[in-house]
Amino acid sequence: TEDEIILFEREMKEFWTKLKSIYGTEQINQTLALRDSCKESIKVLSEKWSKKLKEGDLMIDKIKEYSNEILQQSQHISENQEHLTEIKSNLNQEEEQKKDLTDSIQELKEELMKKKEIISSKNKAAKERVERLCKSKVLFEERLGLEIRRIHNEQLQFIFRHIDHKDPDKPYVFTLSINEQGDYEVTSCTPPLDCIAELQLKVRETNNFSAFVANIRKAFTALSYK
């Protein structure tokens, strides 16, 4: 260091003073030359090591700078990793929700198809029953004095005449349909009959439609005598 160099020069001067008093001129000149050589060597070494120290300081600063950059990059990478993990978790949740929604839609489609098949089957059965009733129209008209009309909503209207001997043209009417369960259902009856619910239940049990119509005509006939 510079302090050490100053101390060294001071010691050299003291040494030179003592030497001068002891030795002669020639020896002194040789000693001076040696001293100058030593001083030059020390100066060169001092400059060299001073430069090395400065380079070392610069290297240390550079290493600190690189360390800080690496630390910042590591933190940034860690933050990105956490963000990527969060995104991945969200994507997995969305995929699960999408799968659940797809399964629900598929279940609804299957349920809808089943309901359509059931409705189609019931409609077909109802139309077949209505068609069979219409085919029996001539038989009922001839034997029971009955007129059958197809009205709205696939209903059949049954009109009896020649029941009231005082007024043969007076109509006695009931309307029949096939409900969602595929059963016969009387939707109206004029004049009303107290036994209509009982007769409706019986035809559902026996499926004997001719007897059902005949029994309603008997009930109308009995009502006309009251």
Side-chain angles (χ1 to χ4, degrees):
T1 62
E2 293 182 0
D3 293 338
E4 291 175 342
I5 293 172
I6 294 171
L7 180 60
F8 180 74
E9 288 179 348
R10 185 185 303 160
E11 291 176 351
M12 285 297 292
K13 286 180 181 180
E14 292 176 355
F15 173 75
W16 164 247
T17 302
K18 290 179 182 179
L19 186 64
K20 186 176 179 181
S21 62
I22 297 171
Y23 296 97
T25 304
E26 185 177 350
Q27 289 177 335
I28 291 173
N29 289 337
Q30 290 178 356
T31 302
L32 287 173
L34 180 61
R35 185 196 68 175
D36 293 338
S37 177
C38 287
K39 287 179 68 176
E40 186 65 26
S41 297
I42 290 171
K43 182 180 180 183
V44 171
L45 287 173
S46 296
E47 291 176 353
K48 180 179 179 180
W49 284 108
S50 178
K51 183 178 180 182
K52 290 289 184 182
L53 288 172
K54 290 179 180 179
E55 290 177 353
D57 291 339
L58 291 173
M59 183 63 69
I60 291 172
D61 293 339
K62 202 68 177 177
I63 290 172
K64 288 182 178 179
E65 183 180 348
Y66 287 155
S67 297
N68 291 332
E69 289 181 359
I70 291 172
L71 180 60
Q72 291 177 358
Q73 290 178 359
S74 298
Q75 291 176 348
H76 186 62
I77 290 172
S78 178
E79 291 173 357
N80 286 340
Q81 187 66 36
E82 292 177 358
H83 186 57
L84 288 174
T85 302
E86 183 180 354
I87 291 175
K88 185 177 180 181
S89 176
N90 291 336
L91 287 174
N92 290 337
Q93 291 179 359
E94 290 178 359
E95 285 295 329
E96 292 177 358
Q97 291 176 355
K98 181 180 178 182
K99 184 178 182 301
D100 293 340
L101 181 60
T102 302
D103 293 342
S104 297
I105 292 174
Q106 184 62 32
E107 290 177 1
L108 288 174
K109 285 183 177 180
E110 293 176 358
E111 184 178 354
L112 182 61
M113 288 298 296
K114 290 179 181 179
K115 287 183 177 180
K116 285 184 176 180
E117 291 176 358
I118 292 173
I119 292 173
S120 177
S121 177
K122 288 182 178 180
N123 288 340
K124 182 178 179 181
K127 288 182 179 180
E128 289 177 353
R129 284 191 176 186
V130 171
E131 291 298 328
R132 288 197 299 269
L133 292 177
C134 290
K135 288 180 181 179
S136 303
K137 178 180 178 180
V138 175
L139 176 64
F140 288 132
E141 286 180 346
E142 291 178 352
R143 295 186 179 181
L144 302 177
L146 174 65
E147 178 185 354
I148 302 174
R149 298 176 182 175
R150 179 181 291 183
I151 58 177
H152 59 281
N153 296 331
E154 295 295 329
Q155 296 186 97
L156 292 179
Q157 189 179 67
F158 295 76
I159 305 172
F160 293 97
R161 301 184 189 279
H162 307 296
I163 289 180
D164 188 347
H165 62 281
K166 297 179 180 179
D167 186 3
D169 292 330
K170 179 180 179 180
Y172 290 74
V173 184
F174 77 93
T175 303
L176 188 71
S177 68
I178 307 297
N179 62 22
E180 292 182 356
Q181 288 71 38
D183 297 325
Y184 295 111
E185 183 174 349
V186 177
T187 58
S188 66
C189 182
T190 307
L193 294 174
D194 294 335
C195 61
I196 196 69
E198 180 184 350
L199 296 177
Q200 178 178 267
L201 179 61
K202 188 174 182 179
V203 72
R204 290 178 180 178
E205 293 173 350
T206 64
N207 203 32
N208 189 340
F209 187 74
S210 297
F212 171 69
V213 175
N215 287 331
I216 289 181
R217 190 178 191 284
K218 289 179 181 178
F220 279 143
T221 301
L223 186 65
S224 68
Y225 285 103
K226 290 183 180 180

